[in-house]
């Protein structure tokens, strides 16, 4: 490992902490500010399109019940994962390492998440390009390019730039999206009746299969939780003085994001019905395009030219708000994977560009027209992944106490691979994809995503019991005598010097080095330096296997 490379990585990653614990010195925002910033990222318009798509396919009743089913399950899955992110200031990859996957095993799930950011960047970019085409007759390929490059300057500057963007644009987005809708709901009761009685392409009956098929598309949005985590990992320490604000921000910006997402999906169904009943009955599936939805809604209230202008402003604001998050989170995910594999950190900017190139290619392949199929397929793997992590936290850590309570993420403390998460995700993904492809029978096909959820929920504790927790921790002690947590159970703010990089890092980010000082004294090494080390010279030797049923790491952190 080059010491210069480690120092460069430390300096470059101070803004984003792509593969590191987020220290107190960076977390200067209040809990309310972090929560507001995180909620700003859910302004995406794909929700409206998803709701419209399943509404047209299955009718309002089935779509609404499917949205409700997906939302409830996403909240249940999201609570333990988001809590660990906010409490321990870790992103989802770092949480996954100590929650069933191992140091290198979590790369598999991180690639799944990175794929999500590319797919949803492409969907949102396509929506912006559609808006530019309606307003200016711009060809789609040029609109795709503009929607891709416009986010680059903001994303490169990281969390601070994102916080300012989300804060200043959220009120404008809310006004443009909600005020016209509220006026229509109040002034046009016939539109509301048409919405409640809409049957779409179904026979009008409510069926469990249609409800689950609707939910399956919504489940593909679950990785948005990981993007919320990229914000809420910057939450301040929870203390008695800020506990109420901390919990409120956590609930709404963490698992509660799906409340707003589900509401937007139902609005998407309403807007599609409004277009088909009140504006242009021949639109068909084009009514799923947010551009047409908002132009149609505005045209009912204001002149056509102004309707197009306002719709374009809404679409551009929404696209930029979510796609800076998609590009930011995607770049963190790709850089995390690459750095662990190559033991080299080339800078996050490269991965911003890499993420955007993939997203642009997906736009050119017209992924938007296949939105329901792509998301239904993707949901099977997504739910297998996230249910496995949530189950390891909720069941293996807190009920069975086989998995270590503190989500360990540091190299040297973990085994490289943990079969608990890998087997669970693999088995759940394969069985659900076989069902999705119809290979387990046509009767089972609509329920493929429920298979992914059920198998992951059962397989995760079964594998932990079968392996007796042997593959979670390589060591029980990190070799540092000072406590990992403070008196309030927050990660310690004590700073220690890394003898490899020369920089100081906070206690949760540090381990004792296997290389002693010139006088035989204990030296400390940062998790960043260990990530970039390809010699193992600083890694402490493994300890004897620990029996199951441990409770905490150093007694705190609940």
């Amino acid at each position: 490992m080059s010491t210069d490379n480690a120092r460069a990585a430390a300096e470059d990653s101070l803004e984003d902490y792509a593969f590191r614990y987020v220290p107190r010195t960076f977390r200067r925002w209040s809990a309310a500010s972090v929560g507001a910033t995180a909620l700003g990222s859910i302004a995406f318009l794909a929700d409206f399109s998803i709701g419209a798509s399943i509404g047209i396919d299955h009718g309002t009743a089935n779509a609404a019940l499917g949205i409700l089913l997906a939302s409830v399950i996403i909240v249940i899955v999201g609570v333990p994962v988001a809590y660990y992110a906010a409490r321990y200031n870790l992103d989802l990859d770092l949480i996954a390492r100590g929650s069933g996957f191992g140091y290198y095993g979590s790369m598999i799930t991180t690639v799944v998440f990175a794929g999500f950011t590319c797919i949803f960047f492409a969907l949102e970019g396509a929506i912006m390009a559609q808006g530019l085409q309606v307003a200016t007759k711009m060809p789609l390929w040029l609109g795709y390019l503009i929607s891709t490059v416009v986010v680059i300057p903001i994303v490169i500057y990281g969390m601070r730039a994102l916080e300012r963007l989300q804060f200043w644009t959220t009120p404008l987005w809310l006004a443009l999206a909600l005020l016209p809708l509220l006026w229509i709901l109040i002034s046009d009761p016939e539109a509301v009746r048409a919405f409640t009685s809409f049957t779409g392409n179904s026979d009008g009956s409510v069926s469990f299969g249609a409800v689950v098929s609707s939910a399956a598309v919504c489940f593909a949005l679950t990785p948005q939780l990981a993007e919320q985590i990229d914000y809420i990992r910057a939450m301040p320490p929870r203390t008695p003085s800020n506990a109420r604000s901390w919990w409120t921000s956590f609930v709404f910006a963490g698992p509660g994001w799906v409340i707003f997402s589900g509401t937007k999906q139902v609005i998407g169904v309403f807007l599609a019905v409004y277009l088909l009943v009140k504006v242009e009955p021949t639109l068909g599936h084009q009514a799923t395009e947010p551009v047409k939805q908002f132009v149609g809604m505005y045209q009912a209230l204001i002149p056509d030219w102004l309707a197009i202008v306002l719709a374009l402003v809404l679409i551009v604001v929404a696209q930029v708000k979510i796609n800076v998050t998609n590009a930011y989170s995607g770049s963190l995910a790709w850089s995390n994977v690459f750095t662990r594999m190559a033991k080299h950190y080339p800078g996050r900017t490269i991965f911003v560009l890499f993420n955007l190139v993939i997203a642009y290619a997906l736009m050119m392949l017209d992924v938007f027209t296949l939105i329901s199929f792509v998301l239904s397929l993707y949901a099977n793997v997504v739910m297998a992944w996230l249910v496995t992590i949530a189950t390891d936290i909720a069941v293996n850590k807190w009920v069975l106490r086989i998995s270590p309570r503190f989500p360990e993420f540091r190299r040297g403390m973990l085994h490289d691979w943990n079969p608990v998460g890998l087997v669970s995700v693999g088995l759940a993904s394969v069985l659900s994809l076989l069902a999705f492809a119809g290979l387990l029978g046509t009767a089972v096909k609509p329920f493929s995503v429920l298979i992914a959820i059920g198998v992951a929920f059962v397989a995760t504790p079964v594998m932990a019991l079968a392996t007796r927790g042997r593959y979670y921790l390589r060591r029980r002690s990190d070799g540092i005598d000072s406590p990992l947590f403070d008196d309030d159970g927050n990660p310690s703010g004590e700073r220690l010097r890394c003898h490899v990089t020369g920089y100081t890092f906070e206690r949760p980010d540090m381990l004792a080095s296997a290389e002693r000082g010139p006088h035989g004294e204990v030296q400390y090494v940062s998790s960043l330096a260990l990530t970039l080390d390809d010699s193992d010279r600083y890694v402490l030797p493994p300890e004897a296997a620990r029996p199951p049923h441990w409770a905490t790491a150093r007694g705190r952190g609940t």
Side-chain angles (χ1 to χ4, degrees):
M1 175 189 66
S2 165
T3 300
D4 291 339
N5 182 39
R7 288 174 178 167
E11 293 169 358
D12 188 64
S13 63
L14 286 176
E15 179 64 51
D16 49 68
Y17 300 93
F19 31 83
R20 299 167 52 197
Y21 159 79
V22 183
R24 290 192 186 199
T25 50
F26 178 77
R27 294 182 275 121
R28 300 188 182 98
W29 299 278
S30 67
S33 178
V34 172
T37 302
L39 283 176
S41 70
I42 63 170
F44 50 90
L45 298 179
D47 270 334
F48 297 103
S49 186
I50 288 169
S53 178
I54 61 178
I56 290 173
D57 286 342
H58 303 292
T60 296
N62 288 313
L65 290 172
I67 292 167
L68 179 61
L69 173 64
S71 298
V72 170
I73 293 177
I74 290 171
V75 167
I76 293 172
V77 171
V79 167
V81 180
Y83 176 78
Y84 264 54
R87 186 61 163 152
Y88 298 118
N89 311 110
L90 306 174
D91 68 13
L92 193 53
D93 177 85
L94 270 61
I95 294 171
R97 294 183 193 180
S99 299
F101 289 90
Y103 182 75
Y104 288 111
S106 69
M107 291 192 301
I108 296 171
T109 65
T110 302
V111 169
V112 173
F113 170 57
F116 165 85
T117 66
C118 294
I119 291 172
F120 272 84
F121 190 107
L123 294 177
E124 291 295 322
I127 291 170
M128 179 172 171
Q130 292 163 1
L132 292 172
Q133 185 180 53
V134 168
T136 67
K137 308 303 179 185
M138 180 183 294
L140 282 176
W141 70 266
L142 183 56
Y144 295 155
L145 184 61
I146 291 174
S147 68
T148 300
V149 301
V150 72
V151 304
I152 293 176
I154 302 170
V155 175
I156 287 175
Y157 284 101
M159 178 69 180
R160 291 186 176 91
L162 267 63
E163 190 269 341
R164 288 191 286 270
L165 171 77
Q166 303 294 12
F167 178 81
W168 290 108
T169 55
T170 295
L172 175 62
W173 183 90
L174 288 172
L176 289 173
L178 297 184
L179 292 180
L181 175 68
L182 291 173
W183 178 255
I184 288 177
L185 291 175
I186 294 170
S187 63
D188 193 349
E190 184 181 334
V192 177
R193 286 193 292 270
F195 163 70
T196 56
S197 61
F198 183 69
T199 60
N201 297 329
S202 71
D203 59 8
S205 63
V206 175
S207 72
F208 186 60
V211 170
V212 174
S213 295
S214 298
V217 182
C218 305
F219 278 128
L221 289 168
T222 312
Q224 177 63 30
L225 173 67
E227 297 198 351
Q228 299 303 114
I229 282 172
D230 279 337
Y231 288 105
I232 65 173
R233 68 194 177 118
M235 288 278 276
R238 193 184 76 202
T239 62
S241 62
N242 74 350
R244 178 176 297 180
S245 173
W246 194 96
W247 279 110
T248 301
S249 298
F250 161 74
V251 168
F252 285 103
W257 72 269
V258 77
I259 298 171
F260 304 96
S261 177
T263 301
K264 287 159 57 190
Q265 291 165 41
V266 174
I267 293 173
V269 181
F270 175 83
L271 292 176
V273 174
Y274 184 79
L275 279 182
L276 294 173
V277 173
K278 293 291 215 174
V279 179
E280 193 173 340
T282 60
L283 273 178
H285 263 274
Q286 285 187 308
T288 64
E289 297 179 11
V291 177
K292 289 186 168 58
Q293 292 175 353
F294 283 99
V295 168
M297 180 174 66
Y298 288 147
Q299 285 176 336
L301 306 173
I302 55 179
D304 289 358
W305 68 270
L306 185 56
I308 292 175
V309 170
L310 290 181
L312 181 61
V313 171
L314 170 66
I315 287 164
V316 170
V317 168
Q319 191 270 347
V320 171
K321 282 172 72 65
I322 183 56
N323 269 354
V324 294
T325 301
N326 282 327
Y328 174 69
S329 294
S331 69
L332 298 187
W334 290 121
S335 63
N336 201 319
V337 171
F338 179 86
T339 303
R340 269 180 291 166
M341 290 180 63
K343 307 298 182 186
H344 174 69
Y345 182 68
R348 185 169 60 84
T349 301
I350 291 175
F351 297 103
V352 171
L353 300 177
F354 178 71
N355 210 51
L356 296 184
V357 167
I358 297 175
Y360 181 73
L362 291 173
M363 284 186 249
M364 293 300 293
L365 293 172
D366 200 16
V367 70
F368 185 86
T369 60
L370 300 172
I371 184 170
S372 289
F373 172 78
V374 170
L375 295 185
S376 296
L377 174 66
Y378 193 66
N380 294 288
V381 179
V382 162
M383 294 311 293
W385 156 46
L386 286 170
V387 171
T388 294
I389 297 175
T391 302
D392 193 90
I393 293 172
V395 178
N396 293 357
K397 292 185 186 303
W398 288 86
V399 178
L400 299 177
R401 297 188 175 186
I402 295 178
S403 177
R405 184 72 58 84
F406 171 68
E408 183 60 70
F409 65 93
R410 296 166 294 177
R411 183 185 173 199
M413 296 297 293
L414 294 164
H415 290 283
D416 289 344
W417 307 91
N418 188 338
V420 173
L422 298 175
V423 170
S424 178
V425 166
L427 186 62
S429 297
V430 169
L431 289 177
S432 62
L433 289 173
L434 289 175
F436 182 81
L439 298 178
L440 301 183
T442 55
V444 177
K445 184 175 181 178
F447 309 109
S448 63
V449 72
L450 295 186
I451 292 174
I453 294 169
V455 172
F457 180 72
V458 172
T460 303
V462 167
M463 282 300 301
L465 290 168
T467 59
R468 293 181 56 80
R470 288 193 300 270
Y471 299 98
Y472 281 101
L473 289 180
R474 180 176 173 270
R475 291 182 56 85
R476 297 189 297 274
S477 168
D478 60 16
I480 301 177
D481 291 332
S482 58
L484 192 58
F485 301 99
D486 65 16
D487 291 338
D488 292 316
N490 299 297
S492 170
E494 179 189 5
R495 298 187 68 82
L496 301 170
R497 181 181 176 276
C498 172
H499 78 97
V500 177
T501 64
Y503 292 107
T504 59
F505 298 84
E506 291 184 7
R507 168 70 178 87
D509 216 14
M510 300 290 286
L511 298 91
S513 173
E515 189 174 273
R516 293 279 178 163
H519 304 292
E521 72 274 14
V522 174
Q523 298 190 112
Y524 305 112
V525 60
S526 64
S527 64
L528 174 66
L530 288 177
T531 297
L532 296 166
D533 174 40
D534 57 4
S535 67
D536 288 343
R537 61 187 290 189
Y538 309 114
V539 178
L540 292 170
E543 291 178 338
R546 176 175 191 154
H549 304 302
W550 57 76
T552 69
R554 292 195 176 270
R556 283 203 179 96
T558 56

